[in-house]
Amino acid sequence: MVAREILKELEQSGAVYLDIRHLGEAFIDEQLPQERKLAQLYENVDPVHELIPIKPAAHYCMGGIEVDAMSQTALSGLYACGECANHNVHGANRLGGNSLLEVIVFGHQAGEYAARYAQEHQNTCNPNEQFQRDKNFIEGIKYFTNQIDFYEKHRFMGNIFYNNAAIIREDKGLKAVLAAVRQLQQELPFMGPKDKSRTYNTNLIEFIEFGNMVELAEVVLVSAISRKESRGAHFRSDAPQRDNERFHAHTVAWKEDGVLCLDFMKGAL
Amino acid sequence: MTVEVLRYCPAAPNGAQKIKYEIEANNQTLLEVLTAIKTEYDATLSFNSDCRSGVCGSCAMRVNGVEVLACTYKVHDGDTVEPLRNMEVIRDLVVDSDHALAFNKKAHAYGSVSAVTRNVTPEEEKVNELQSACILCASCYSACPVYEVNSDFLGPFALTRSWRYVSDVRESDVSDKIATIQDNGIWDCTLCNECVPVCPVGIAPKQDIVMLRNKSGVMGYMDPSFSANFGGGFGNDGTPDFGDPAF
């Protein structure tokens, strides 16, 4: 709600500020020292005496890898916790400060169960189908043509997501972004890392991450298009009301033979 | 403006080389500049980074010989960028920090199994709040001159972390932690202060080492070089033993 109003005002007047001057220097230094430091360093603004320019941004990912009551993923022996996992505790709008609580509770739990699993199982590394696929991908990368710069496409993705799939969404814009993402998936073999070194190749890592990004982007977009309602951080200008009858549920996505599947799991609540 | 980066790749035959980059920068952080070089000119430039806001500690490196976080340092014309010292360089600005981080374990710088579970008051939390804020960037480790003579020195951040636990009100028995830091530890520090100004969160490891020395003194330990100078240290009656006089 606040983010949407900030965005509207930004579009109208071009600037929105946060004013914390009334809190006083002593309180700011005690309770908000990092915020003061960041404002000084990156905006050249001292919030004790000046206004802080602000803009909405993604700072947390709701949902994540599906886990069971022991923090185990669908892959036995692989555990997930924190922001990457979906422990069904937040719903559509994680409130400030609660992600720390989540990582303390489930981080502890996942660590304990993972340690127990490692003790009970001799060979914890079973080369599965996905492992083979990833290996083939790395092998195949040297044949990628590098005609398209993936860093440039990464920036492009950021822009079209921020403008069409972030704070205010609607069917047409989401579908246009989906088309662009599917195009990027097709173009991946024409991109690739320029660095061919086998030593600490961060260019390769960033390319692999970009590949993961365009794969996950499709899941986010298809989920957002299917959820024709507004709830928490998901706001659809073409469906501004909450629709409990159809969508009071978690969206669960998975792949079958490479095809993306989606369902609303009421039981997950 | 011009920025020089000391680049190294184990596969390259010529060893480390300083490479000059002409860049357009105006009030930009070093991390922004390095990222621009990597994504626009030379994808092989290697460095670590993560949070981009001075919180995670992964982009520590040296500029003109002084340790900084690339994400909080504003670039100046003529800057020379190098990897951290006292660690093996893997590639360009990436170093192997495993050896450094292992000192936390060697110093037993973690919560003990015997620690009691009880509420900690805000005042008690303040005692080691600053030391708890260490982001393990290893800037202090890189600045420490002791490693030139003793590669087994536990080092500034591990000793600060040791003090963070020794001063924790929940630690009921710190005798093991204090015993662990006697050799290659608190007495090997020269109190030169090099580690203090380079800490991005304002920790003073030297002060924490002095605190650990005081605590050790109270628990019956003493500076081995001091006792060596005094021959046999103190006699049974508490008076210094200067050894047999030599004529």
Side-chain angles (χ1 to χ4, degrees):
Chain A
M1 178 75 85
V2 177
R4 286 197 293 278
E5 292 307 314
I6 295 170
L7 190 71
K8 268 187 220 163
E9 184 59 37
L10 271 173
E11 278 165 1
Q12 280 166 21
S13 67
V16 179
Y17 299 94
L18 179 64
D19 187 358
I20 60 168
R21 292 173 298 178
H22 62 284
L23 297 173
E25 188 164 9
F27 183 89
I28 290 170
D29 279 346
E30 174 69 25
Q31 299 291 330
L32 305 162
Q34 199 195 346
E35 286 74 7
R36 185 180 187 188
K37 197 175 133 191
L38 292 176
Q40 286 175 316
L41 186 65
Y42 297 110
E43 287 298 328
N44 214 12
V45 155
D46 185 355
V48 172
H49 309 291
E50 293 164 283
L51 302 173
I52 314 167
I54 55 167
K55 185 183 175 183
H59 63 113
Y60 182 84
C61 189
M62 254 87 73
I65 303 162
E66 193 69 354
V67 289
D68 63 17
M70 295 188 292
S71 295
Q72 188 169 229
T73 66
L75 209 62
S76 66
L78 182 68
Y79 295 78
C81 59
E83 191 173 345
C84 75
N86 182 29
H87 277 99
N88 296 314
V89 289
H90 295 313
N93 190 13
R94 187 228 16 146
L95 296 176
N98 281 295
S99 59
L100 294 178
L101 192 63
E102 176 186 358
V103 83
I104 288 166
V105 173
F106 297 110
H108 187 225
Q109 188 205 44
E112 228 166 57
Y113 282 116
R116 201 177 296 172
Y117 186 95
Q119 272 175 346
E120 288 167 2
H121 294 77
Q122 281 292 312
N123 183 10
T124 50
C125 183
N126 297 314
N128 57 15
E129 220 177 295
Q130 182 65 42
F131 179 76
Q132 198 52 48
R133 262 204 299 275
D134 291 340
K135 223 176 141 185
N136 292 344
F137 179 76
I138 301 286
E139 280 299 308
I141 269 181
K142 55 175 172 270
Y143 302 108
F144 284 23
T145 61
N146 246 315
Q147 290 153 285
I148 303 171
D149 178 8
F150 80 87
Y151 287 121
E152 197 186 309
K153 293 295 178 189
H154 188 291
R155 284 189 285 270
F156 168 69
M157 276 266 286
N159 285 335
I160 56 172
F161 255 77
Y162 191 83
N163 291 322
N164 300 287
I167 300 141
I168 298 173
R169 302 163 158 182
E170 48 105 24
D171 187 70
K172 218 173 94 189
L174 289 169
K175 282 180 177 160
V177 179
L178 181 61
V181 164
R182 290 202 167 132
Q183 171 82 16
L184 287 173
Q185 289 174 344
Q186 299 296 317
E187 287 172 354
L188 267 189
F190 303 105
M191 303 180 199
K194 292 195 178 78
D195 186 351
K196 307 294 183 195
S197 170
R198 286 179 169 269
T199 306
Y200 215 93
N201 190 334
T202 49
N203 183 226
L204 171 63
I205 300 286
E206 281 161 2
F207 179 65
I208 293 170
E209 286 175 349
F210 180 73
N212 294 341
M213 193 182 190
V214 291
E215 186 175 356
L216 270 179
E218 185 188 6
V219 180
V220 171
L221 291 164
V222 173
S223 304
I225 291 166
S226 311
R227 188 175 280 276
K228 294 184 177 65
E229 63 148 1
S230 292
R231 181 185 298 272
H234 170 71
F235 180 78
R236 289 272 301 252
S237 57
D238 53 353
Q241 300 303 317
R242 193 184 277 200
D243 183 348
N244 280 342
E245 207 171 303
R246 291 163 73 200
F247 301 114
H248 191 220
H250 276 224
T251 313
V252 179
W254 69 99
K255 278 197 168 174
E256 267 175 40
D257 297 326
V259 179
L260 178 62
C261 305
L262 208 77
D263 202 0
F264 293 103
M265 297 279 197
K266 297 209 175 194
L269 293 169
Chain B
M1 63 174 76
T2 309
V3 171
E4 224 175 16
V5 181
L6 185 67
R7 300 200 54 183
Y8 167 79
C9 186
N14 301 328
Q17 282 189 317
K18 277 186 183 165
I19 308 285
K20 267 188 189 162
Y21 295 95
E22 281 294 330
I23 48 143
E24 279 181 37
N26 179 27
N27 198 33
Q28 276 181 299
T29 65
L30 176 56
L31 182 58
E32 285 173 314
V33 167
L34 292 173
T35 304
I37 294 171
K38 185 178 183 66
T39 59
E40 289 163 34
Y41 303 109
D42 186 352
T44 65
L45 180 63
S46 304
F47 52 92
N48 271 327
S49 74
D50 194 26
C51 76
R52 295 177 292 169
S53 53
V55 179
C56 77
S58 54
C59 66
M61 49 189 74
R62 288 187 305 145
V63 175
N64 307 328
V66 179
E67 286 74 12
V68 299
L69 294 181
C71 68
T72 61
Y73 176 80
K74 297 283 173 75
V75 171
H76 298 87
D77 188 26
D79 277 346
T80 299
V81 188
E82 295 169 289
L84 293 181
R85 291 191 313 170
N86 300 330
M87 280 172 266
E88 195 189 331
V89 178
I90 296 172
R91 189 180 174 186
D92 295 342
L93 302 167
V94 180
V95 292
D96 183 355
S97 53
D98 285 359
H99 182 71
L101 294 175
F103 285 118
N104 274 334
K105 198 174 174 184
K106 278 190 190 149
H108 296 189
Y110 42 73
S112 310
V113 178
S114 63
V116 294
T117 302
R118 75 159 173 89
N119 287 339
V120 177
T121 66
E123 291 72 32
E124 287 170 337
E125 193 201 344
K126 285 264 181 297
V127 170
N128 52 25
E129 189 184 30
L130 181 61
Q131 288 80 356
S132 303
C134 170
I135 56 176
L136 291 174
C137 68
S139 286
C140 57
Y141 185 91
S142 168
C144 179
V146 174
Y147 288 104
E148 276 170 33
V149 291
N150 182 4
S151 60
D152 293 323
F153 178 44
L154 293 171
F157 71 75
L159 290 171
T160 274
R161 189 162 290 234
S162 170
W163 175 246
R164 178 248 171 275
Y165 285 101
V166 167
S167 61
D168 193 309
V169 291
R170 291 164 296 186
E171 292 288 334
S172 51
D173 180 9
V174 297
S175 56
D176 158 70
K177 293 195 191 309
I178 293 293
T180 306
I181 55 168
Q182 300 302 311
D183 292 338
N184 294 317
I186 50 173
W187 309 110
D188 293 66
C189 170
T190 62
L191 304 183
C192 73
N193 210 47
E194 293 286 334
C195 55
V196 178
V198 298
C199 178
V201 291
I203 297 168
K206 186 191 89 172
Q207 311 279 56
D208 300 328
I209 291 168
V210 171
M211 296 301 274
L212 286 167
R213 285 186 179 187
N214 293 343
K215 182 86 181 173
S216 297
V218 170
M219 292 176 74
Y221 293 96
M222 66 158 68
D223 186 344
S225 62
F226 180 73
S227 56
N229 290 339
F230 275 106
F234 289 87
N236 288 336
D237 59 355
T239 55
D241 176 4
F242 291 94
D244 294 329
F247 295 105

